[in-house]
Amino acid sequence: MPPKKQQKTKPSQITLGRYLFERLKQVSVTSIFGVPGDFNLALLDKIYEVDGVRWVGNANELNASYSADGYSRVKGFGALITTFGVGELSAVNGVAGAYAEHVGLIHIVGMPSTSASQNKLLLHHTLGDARFQAFYHMSRHISWKQAMIENIESGPAVIDELIKVGCVQKRPVYLGFPCNFFDELVDANLLNTPIDLTLAPNDPQAEDELLEVIKYKFTKAQNPIILVDSCATRHSVREYVKKLIEITQFPAYTTPMGKSSVDEDNPRFGGVYVGALSQPDVKEAVESADLIVSIGGLLSDFNTGSFSYNYHTTNVIEFHSDHCKVGKATYENLKMKYVLERLDDLLKNYDIHYEPAPIPASVEAYKQSEKLTSGPLTQDYLWKRLSFFLQPGDVIVTETGTSSFGIIQTHFPKDTLGISQVLWGSIGYSLPAATGATFALEEIDPNRRVILFIGDGSLQLTVQSISDLFRWNLHPYLFILNNSGYTIEKLIHGPTAQYNQIQPWDHQLLSPLFHGSAEFENHKISTIEELNESCNDPAFEKNTKLRVIELMLDEMDAPENLIKQAKLSEKLNAKN
Amino acid sequence: MPPKKQQKTKPSQITLGRYLFERLKQVSVTSIFGVPGDFNLALLDKIYEVDGVRWVGNANELNASYSADGYSRVKGFGALITTFGVGELSAVNGVAGAYAEHVGLIHIVGMPSTSASQNKLLLHHTLGDARFQAFYHMSRHISWKQAMIENIESGPAVIDELIKVGCVQKRPVYLGFPCNFFDELVDANLLNTPIDLTLAPNDPQAEDELLEVIKYKFTKAQNPIILVDSCATRHSVREYVKKLIEITQFPAYTTPMGKSSVDEDNPRFGGVYVGALSQPDVKEAVESADLIVSIGGLLSDFNTGSFSYNYHTTNVIEFHSDHCKVGKATYENLKMKYVLERLDDLLKNYDIHYEPAPIPASVEAYKQSEKLTSGPLTQDYLWKRLSFFLQPGDVIVTETGTSSFGIIQTHFPKDTLGISQVLWGSIGYSLPAATGATFALEEIDPNRRVILFIGDGSLQLTVQSISDLFRWNLHPYLFILNNSGYTIEKLIHGPTAQYNQIQPWDHQLLSPLFHGSAEFENHKISTIEELNESCNDPAFEKNTKLRVIELMLDEMDAPENLIKQAKLSEKLNAKN
């Protein structure tokens, strides 16, 4: 798929392929994930023409999509390139996950030429029946906006619009890019006008009205709390939330998905609320509140202890990316970002008569584990001990399984970011997501660490992502929880069933298999002493090489909240 | 997801979950591929109630789908179970490949309960917006028929219909199975009436007319040939083709995808026709024919040397699974199976006045390599030498890449089956497909061998399929062509581009990593002497353990026909 003809390039012209990557660079996307295929090869050439943008080259497409997701959660947007049919379909699970969890990314698909489609050629990578549009139609169910380049004149605008929508909505968008357009020329001066990424303004009248109502509610409340969920991080309102806590002094809680959206060293941080699975004092504090200020809520079953929220829904103010709600009244199209910005300003000059409520004592519980010094390693110890290993700035990635439940027990230092796919919950996600996050941190500050926790079962789905890490000599911490199979599923159904078993792997050979010429370090830890020895080693604390740390855990050992969740899941299903 | 209530089982009643697996067993599907997930766990329980049916438990869903495809190509039908959303989407690439290549399989998806969908619960594994039907809609683009269990009364009929359609059409079908129906009871006596898998009969008048035309064409032809393609194997007409060759003595050629659909020891076998990429004498013989009897044609670019067929299209008789064609005239809905059956019978008593044409000499060329005894291993030597290693009954699986082109040079003994995804061409397919084929052969005759050829680049996409093989202690031959990256893509575009490089792996560690307690054998071969030494060892010839044979090949060494194909692909794209 070479340039089909030598076009005469005016100084002010560049190819549409290069235009795409220049635009991505402008929105800070400088690592492009994906797998080469013959319908995208000539497009990949263009990446090398843009300084500071790199083609990652993942081992497979699913991993590439998860990595683009992990990268986006750190940098705000991500990009993924696959080839027509075979490549793009392998990535749809990852793209759908980004859709569900409000993660912005662009999925670029190198397609057969326009004339090949029009002439219905029986090309490889087609379904054999000339339905060249089939995959594009499939993408409509799992992306926010889709477009194909259909002529060179509109090409730049199509690209700009998709990037804008993806960045602003924090959802995946899909670009079908037929290979005959890769080398077509467009005006380079278009790049001088940055893509406008500002949110459309709110209706001022509606916004005023809402702010009035909120102020009134704030004034009346005797025992208000703030509950922060994942969309606060995804839609970039963490700073406003921080100010809101400072000004109001309301106690602030997070959901499991929202963990890390509030600084846990803030004296007004009260803990993690998961409905019936919460610490009793957290449950009591949240459910006795007379006003709940909910920010960026995504109240899925695993995020709410199987919908076991038990607070008064009449006195809830909900802030969402594209609407707000007070009690039963919905304010369509009011974006929380603008409302929170003005609310902070308003409250500065406003007396809210609030007597700060005490913070639940349980928020300090994770500090107790430090007293233990020996014995076999347990989940309970691990998650509490971890509080002392984490550092400001860390990105902590946990897998759907014992890890995503266990991490709730861990105290996060400030400026950390927690990544966990709690809603979509695709097993195997966390390793490639951690890979993507490591690419992102390398670009922001290579001293910041990525720390992954994944079970031995989940690891099997996406293990070749470790190869991508070694290829670029990146240095995350890969903690592998070896508990002999799918423990989360054993707790839900079939504790001894053969289908919840897995083939045992020798995890000590992962790095030797994949490392090429990159350095690595292997650990195998079965006891508290061994864990402490590693974690207390100053050399271990620095991310100077890729580390695989295999944690030997009992098969049915699990965080207490997961055990309770599994019972609630059973109950929920039995009811239905 | 336990049984929601203890239902009183009458002796003549079984659960709908069990009913499904009893039906699959009746159509010889006794290995079920897939990955457990909480919306399918209670369904998996039912597999263990059916004697002789096993749950395989793959390392990931994409591999499971490819394995179900490989199993189906050997046994005629396959089955795959995934969980809602996350699981099923990871499998769509494999399902789409089965669609493109006419492979029958059923994709069973364990879904949230009917009431959870109706109440639009914000469950994990959903897109977070209550679109429970999104994935079902996506499946419509890549499967022949889709259905969901909506009530218990129609459940058995829905299952029967899907299995029938999948088996008869040789295409994937999709079953959405909400978890509240797994334990609902149905009449076990329904199982006493087997699913009717016969094709609907042809219109007798149209069939008569077509046969008259064919007889006339056969009588007039001076220099006819038969050209057999993949759908002859997939739609089970190989026996008729064999008889047709015997009776007519027309020389018979295959396409690359059709390889193994004609016994290559048959003295009337003339070689493989790939348009301009054919051996010159094969090209001459086919293109000078005055009648081409095309059976099961799927004339995609890679199957035709980029559409470089150069025969007289006016004198072609085409036999397809669901229609036939003579010249420009189409006979809709005439199924080749019935036509070929009657044609064989008719011709027995019919004098066709045909003077057997000579067979191209090049068909013997693969025997020459035996003379070489030393030197570095080359692609050219490998594919010819392989002719002497293969045995009757082998299943030979080749990856899209140097392997699928190289294998055209190899002579297949009788009763072999070649598996290669020439049309869909998803890299990484061949390893899990070989895994599925090995499960199938173990059930038919464990002494029959599965022999895989895959490149180091493709291997990286689906490597964990080796774990599935070890889990079941299966013994295929895994030949890994180590040529430092995506050689096929380097030939098409970007020979030195970074994006066509891969991370180097130590392939000798694959088996140590995955084997658990199963036996294995590792080989690393760089020279002709080493290859001959292994292949001539009688112990090596027997499939007594899993063998990984790493073949060290030059980066740009490739079969000659691939080099030509790459040039044609460039040309085709430049034209467009």
Side-chain angles (χ1 to χ4, degrees):
Chain A
M1 226 158 298
K4 61 180 189 179
K5 51 193 174 218
Q6 278 305 327
Q7 282 167 306
K8 218 171 153 186
T9 316
K10 291 185 210 160
S12 61
Q13 287 191 311
I14 56 170
T15 64
L16 188 62
R18 176 166 174 182
Y19 181 87
L20 170 63
F21 300 115
E22 295 282 2
R23 279 305 201 193
L24 286 172
K25 184 181 174 184
Q26 289 181 348
V27 297
S28 298
V29 174
T30 46
S31 292
I32 315 280
F33 300 91
V35 177
D38 58 350
F39 294 122
N40 69 30
L41 296 177
L43 179 61
L44 303 187
D45 286 338
K46 310 295 181 255
I47 297 178
Y48 300 84
E49 298 173 6
V50 183
D51 262 1
V53 179
R54 60 176 156 181
W55 167 249
V56 170
N58 299 84
N60 70 31
E61 288 90 355
L62 179 60
N63 291 0
S65 65
Y66 288 153
S67 289
D69 174 310
Y71 182 90
S72 176
R73 291 186 195 226
V74 176
K75 291 196 77 177
F77 200 57
L80 163 73
I81 301 182
T82 60
T83 198
F84 183 67
V86 293
E88 59 181 305
L89 291 191
S90 280
V92 289
N93 179 11
V95 174
Y99 183 95
E101 302 232 338
H102 292 247
V103 176
L105 59 87
I106 184 167
H107 183 189
I108 300 153
V109 178
M111 294 185 62
S113 69
T114 315
S115 71
S117 308
Q118 280 163 355
N119 294 326
K120 303 190 173 189
L121 295 186
L122 185 45
L123 295 186
H124 66 288
H125 301 346
T126 71
L127 293 165
D129 55 8
R131 291 187 294 123
F132 281 79
Q133 312 279 318
F135 318 122
Y136 178 79
H137 289 309
M138 289 173 76
S139 80
R140 299 173 68 170
H141 296 278
I142 52 163
S143 56
W144 196 259
K145 190 178 174 79
Q146 315 77 34
M148 280 210 246
I149 305 289
E150 290 174 352
N151 57 66
I152 189 63
E153 292 71 27
S154 66
V158 166
I159 288 171
D160 290 0
E161 175 66 11
L162 284 178
I163 292 175
K164 177 190 168 74
V165 169
C167 284
V168 168
Q169 300 292 341
K170 300 295 176 194
R171 302 273 195 163
V173 291
Y174 176 101
L175 173 63
F177 204 155
C179 57
N180 50 306
F181 292 114
F182 297 164
D183 282 286
E184 293 279 322
L185 297 172
V186 299
D187 183 0
N189 292 317
L190 292 168
L191 294 170
N192 298 334
T193 311
I195 299 175
D196 178 11
L197 298 181
T198 51
L199 281 170
N202 284 340
D203 172 346
Q205 205 179 329
E207 198 175 274
D208 286 347
E209 187 185 314
L210 174 62
L211 283 165
E212 271 312 303
V213 177
I214 295 172
K215 275 195 296 183
Y216 174 73
K217 291 268 180 192
F218 273 39
T219 321
K220 293 252 294 186
Q222 299 295 309
N223 187 22
I225 63 127
I226 298 171
L227 181 60
V228 191
D229 204 348
S230 53
C231 281
T233 296
R234 233 82 97 218
H235 291 277
S236 313
V237 298
R238 293 215 292 192
E239 281 308 303
Y240 300 122
V241 173
K242 191 178 160 195
K243 275 194 219 157
L244 191 67
I245 298 168
E246 262 171 35
I247 297 168
T248 63
Q249 289 294 304
F250 297 168
Y253 299 84
T254 64
T255 63
M257 269 181 100
K259 198 168 154 69
S260 84
S261 55
V262 172
D263 174 5
E264 299 189 1
D265 286 331
N266 187 317
R268 302 306 294 158
F269 173 66
V272 181
Y273 177 64
V274 211
L277 307 184
S278 313
Q279 293 292 333
D281 56 358
V282 169
K283 182 171 153 59
E284 168 63 21
V286 171
E287 296 179 0
S288 67
D290 65 350
L291 177 66
I292 289 172
V293 182
S294 161
I295 300 173
L298 243 180
L299 304 183
S300 73
D301 51 354
F302 281 8
N303 203 27
T304 61
S306 271
F307 311 119
S308 59
Y309 271 31
N310 199 19
Y311 55 57
H312 302 287
T313 51
T314 44
N315 247 345
V316 180
I317 303 173
E318 294 177 36
F319 294 93
H320 295 283
S321 60
D322 56 358
H323 71 284
C324 293
K325 224 175 144 181
V326 179
K328 299 287 181 196
T330 301
Y331 294 78
E332 292 294 355
N333 296 322
L334 279 197
K335 296 158 201 88
M336 66 176 169
K337 198 163 189 174
Y338 293 128
V339 179
L340 288 169
E341 191 177 16
R342 284 190 58 197
L343 184 63
D344 283 346
D345 285 343
L346 270 176
L347 292 176
K348 263 184 225 159
N349 312 310
Y350 194 77
D351 185 3
I352 52 167
H353 309 292
Y354 167 68
E355 191 72 42
I359 293 298
S362 67
V363 84
E364 296 293 310
Y366 43 72
K367 299 202 173 154
Q368 292 164 8
S369 60
E370 187 67 323
K371 292 171 194 159
L372 278 176
T373 53
S374 69
L377 186 63
T378 62
Q379 293 260 356
D380 185 56
Y381 182 80
L382 171 66
W383 301 112
K384 291 175 177 166
R385 173 64 181 82
L386 182 60
S387 305
F388 304 93
F389 176 65
L390 296 183
Q391 295 173 1
D394 283 349
V395 173
I396 306 109
V397 188
T398 50
E399 177 64 46
T400 301
T402 57
S403 310
S404 62
F405 286 86
I407 200 71
I408 296 171
Q409 275 83 261
T410 305
H411 171 76
F412 282 4
K414 77 182 164 80
D415 298 331
T416 50
L417 175 66
I419 294 181
S420 185
Q421 208 190 37
V422 174
L423 170 55
W424 188 240
S426 183
I427 63 166
Y429 161 81
S430 67
L431 169 59
T435 299
T438 313
F439 277 89
L441 279 197
E442 199 200 32
E443 292 165 7
I444 296 170
D445 175 359
N447 293 319
R448 286 180 60 189
R449 311 181 304 177
V450 173
I451 301 168
L452 166 74
F453 295 89
I454 188 170
D456 51 352
S458 298
L459 174 75
Q460 297 199 349
L461 284 93
T462 52
V463 64
Q464 49 276 82
S465 193
I466 299 174
S467 169
D468 300 341
L469 288 162
F470 277 122
R471 184 172 182 178
W472 288 91
N473 196 17
L474 298 175
H475 303 152
Y477 295 75
L478 310 180
F479 285 88
I480 299 173
L481 282 66
N482 184 343
N483 51 12
S484 311
Y486 306 119
T487 297
I488 186 171
E489 292 184 352
K490 291 174 188 169
L491 292 166
I492 294 174
H493 187 86
T496 59
Q498 178 254 353
Y499 55 71
N500 281 331
Q501 310 299 318
I502 58 169
Q503 172 70 1
W505 289 7
D506 184 348
H507 299 110
Q508 299 298 308
L509 292 179
L510 290 169
S511 292
L513 168 63
F514 295 129
H515 77 119
S517 56
E519 259 197 282
F520 66 88
E521 197 174 284
N522 267 351
H523 297 256
K524 188 168 186 169
I525 288 176
S526 309
T527 64
I528 287 173
E529 298 93 302
E530 288 164 358
L531 182 66
N532 287 336
E533 195 187 331
S534 290
C535 289
N536 294 334
D537 174 2
F540 184 84
E541 284 187 336
K542 294 208 180 71
N543 58 349
T544 51
K545 58 190 82 164
L546 187 150
R547 290 186 177 85
V548 168
I549 309 103
E550 184 176 14
L551 302 174
M552 308 306 291
L553 291 157
D554 190 72
E555 186 179 339
M556 296 305 282
D557 182 17
E560 207 184 328
N561 54 341
L562 171 55
I563 295 169
K564 285 188 195 160
Q565 170 70 52
K567 285 187 191 145
L568 288 174
S569 287
E570 272 194 348
K571 217 189 276 178
L572 181 71
N573 282 304
K575 260 203 314 207
N576 287 302
Chain B
M1 225 158 298
K4 61 180 190 176
K5 51 194 172 214
Q6 278 303 327
Q7 284 167 305
K8 219 171 156 187
T9 318
K10 292 183 208 158
S12 63
Q13 287 191 310
I14 57 172
T15 64
L16 187 63
R18 177 168 174 180
Y19 180 88
L20 169 63
F21 300 113
E22 295 281 2
R23 279 305 201 194
L24 286 172
K25 184 181 175 185
Q26 289 181 347
V27 296
S28 298
V29 174
T30 47
S31 292
I32 316 281
F33 300 91
V35 178
D38 58 349
F39 293 122
N40 69 31
L41 296 176
L43 180 61
L44 303 187
D45 286 338
K46 310 296 182 252
I47 296 177
Y48 300 84
E49 297 172 7
V50 183
D51 263 0
V53 179
R54 61 176 156 179
W55 167 248
V56 169
N58 299 84
N60 71 29
E61 289 91 354
L62 179 59
N63 291 1
S65 66
Y66 288 152
S67 290
D69 173 308
Y71 182 90
S72 176
R73 290 186 195 226
V74 175
K75 292 197 76 178
F77 201 57
L80 162 73
I81 301 181
T82 60
T83 197
F84 182 68
V86 293
E88 59 182 305
L89 291 192
S90 281
V92 290
N93 179 10
V95 175
Y99 181 94
E101 302 233 338
H102 291 247
V103 176
L105 59 86
I106 183 167
H107 183 189
I108 301 153
V109 178
M111 293 184 63
S113 69
T114 316
S115 72
S117 308
Q118 280 163 355
N119 295 327
K120 303 190 172 187
L121 295 186
L122 186 45
L123 295 185
H124 66 287
H125 301 346
T126 70
L127 293 165
D129 55 8
R131 291 187 292 124
F132 281 78
Q133 311 279 318
F135 317 122
Y136 177 79
H137 289 309
M138 289 173 76
S139 79
R140 298 173 68 171
H141 296 278
I142 52 162
S143 56
W144 197 259
K145 193 179 171 81
Q146 316 77 33
M148 280 212 247
I149 305 288
E150 289 174 350
N151 58 66
I152 189 63
E153 293 72 26
S154 65
V158 166
I159 289 171
D160 290 0
E161 175 65 10
L162 284 178
I163 292 176
K164 178 191 169 74
V165 169
C167 284
V168 168
Q169 300 292 340
K170 300 295 176 194
R171 301 274 197 164
V173 292
Y174 177 100
L175 174 63
F177 204 155
C179 57
N180 50 307
F181 291 115
F182 297 164
D183 282 286
E184 292 279 320
L185 297 172
V186 299
D187 182 0
N189 292 318
L190 291 169
L191 294 170
N192 298 334
T193 310
I195 299 174
D196 178 10
L197 298 181
T198 51
L199 282 171
N202 284 341
D203 173 345
Q205 205 179 325
E207 198 174 274
D208 286 347
E209 187 185 313
L210 173 62
L211 283 165
E212 271 312 303
V213 177
I214 295 173
K215 272 195 297 181
Y216 174 73
K217 293 266 182 192
F218 273 39
T219 320
K220 291 250 296 184
Q222 299 294 309
N223 186 23
I225 62 128
I226 297 172
L227 181 59
V228 191
D229 203 348
S230 54
C231 282
T233 296
R234 235 81 99 221
H235 290 278
S236 312
V237 298
R238 292 215 291 191
E239 282 309 302
Y240 301 122
V241 173
K242 190 178 161 194
K243 273 195 221 158
L244 191 66
I245 300 169
E246 261 171 37
I247 297 167
T248 62
Q249 289 294 303
F250 296 169
Y253 299 84
T254 64
T255 64
M257 270 182 100
K259 199 168 153 67
S260 84
S261 54
V262 172
D263 174 5
E264 299 189 2
D265 285 330
N266 187 317
R268 302 306 294 158
F269 173 67
V272 181
Y273 178 63
V274 211
L277 307 185
S278 314
Q279 292 293 331
D281 56 358
V282 169
K283 183 172 153 59
E284 167 63 22
V286 171
E287 296 179 0
S288 66
D290 64 348
L291 175 67
I292 290 172
V293 182
S294 160
I295 300 172
L298 243 181
L299 304 183
S300 73
D301 51 353
F302 281 8
N303 203 26
T304 61
S306 271
F307 310 121
S308 61
Y309 271 30
N310 199 18
Y311 55 57
H312 301 288
T313 51
T314 43
N315 246 346
V316 180
I317 303 173
E318 294 178 36
F319 293 94
H320 295 285
S321 60
D322 56 358
H323 72 283
C324 293
K325 225 175 144 180
V326 179
K328 299 287 180 195
T330 301
Y331 293 78
E332 292 294 355
N333 297 321
L334 279 198
K335 295 156 201 92
M336 66 175 169
K337 198 163 189 171
Y338 293 128
V339 179
L340 288 169
E341 190 176 18
R342 283 190 58 198
L343 183 65
D344 284 345
D345 285 342
L346 269 176
L347 292 177
K348 261 184 228 157
N349 311 309
Y350 193 76
D351 185 2
I352 52 167
H353 309 291
Y354 168 67
E355 191 71 43
I359 293 298
S362 67
V363 83
E364 296 293 309
Y366 43 73
K367 298 202 173 155
Q368 294 164 5
S369 61
E370 186 67 326
K371 293 171 193 160
L372 280 176
T373 54
S374 69
L377 186 63
T378 62
Q379 293 260 357
D380 185 56
Y381 182 80
L382 171 66
W383 301 113
K384 291 174 176 168
R385 174 63 182 80
L386 182 60
S387 304
F388 305 93
F389 177 65
L390 296 184
Q391 294 172 2
D394 283 349
V395 173
I396 305 110
V397 187
T398 50
E399 177 66 43
T400 301
T402 56
S403 310
S404 61
F405 286 86
I407 200 72
I408 296 171
Q409 275 82 261
T410 305
H411 170 75
F412 283 4
K414 74 181 166 81
D415 298 330
T416 50
L417 175 66
I419 294 181
S420 185
Q421 208 190 37
V422 174
L423 170 56
W424 189 239
S426 183
I427 64 166
Y429 161 82
S430 67
L431 170 59
T435 299
T438 314
F439 277 89
L441 278 197
E442 199 200 31
E443 291 165 8
I444 295 170
D445 175 0
N447 293 319
R448 286 180 60 190
R449 312 181 304 177
V450 172
I451 301 168
L452 167 73
F453 295 89
I454 187 170
D456 52 350
S458 299
L459 174 76
Q460 297 198 351
L461 284 92
T462 52
V463 64
Q464 49 276 83
S465 192
I466 299 175
S467 170
D468 301 340
L469 288 163
F470 277 122
R471 183 171 183 179
W472 289 91
N473 197 16
L474 298 174
H475 303 152
Y477 295 75
L478 310 179
F479 285 88
I480 299 173
L481 282 65
N482 185 342
N483 51 12
S484 311
Y486 306 120
T487 296
I488 185 170
E489 293 183 351
K490 290 174 190 170
L491 291 166
I492 294 175
H493 187 85
T496 58
Q498 178 254 353
Y499 54 71
N500 281 330
Q501 309 299 319
I502 57 169
Q503 172 69 3
W505 289 8
D506 184 349
H507 300 110
Q508 299 298 309
L509 292 178
L510 290 168
S511 293
L513 169 62
F514 295 130
H515 78 119
S517 57
E519 259 196 282
F520 67 88
E521 199 174 284
N522 268 352
H523 298 255
K524 187 168 187 168
I525 288 175
S526 308
T527 63
I528 287 174
E529 297 94 303
E530 288 164 1
L531 182 66
N532 287 336
E533 195 188 331
S534 290
C535 289
N536 294 334
D537 174 4
F540 184 83
E541 284 187 336
K542 294 208 180 72
N543 59 348
T544 51
K545 60 190 80 163
L546 187 149
R547 289 185 178 87
V548 168
I549 309 102
E550 184 177 12
L551 303 175
M552 307 306 289
L553 290 157
D554 189 73
E555 187 179 338
M556 295 305 284
D557 182 18
E560 207 185 328
N561 54 340
L562 171 55
I563 294 169
K564 285 188 196 161
Q565 169 71 53
K567 284 187 190 144
L568 289 174
S569 287
E570 271 195 349
K571 218 189 277 178
L572 182 71
N573 282 304
K575 261 201 316 206
N576 288 302

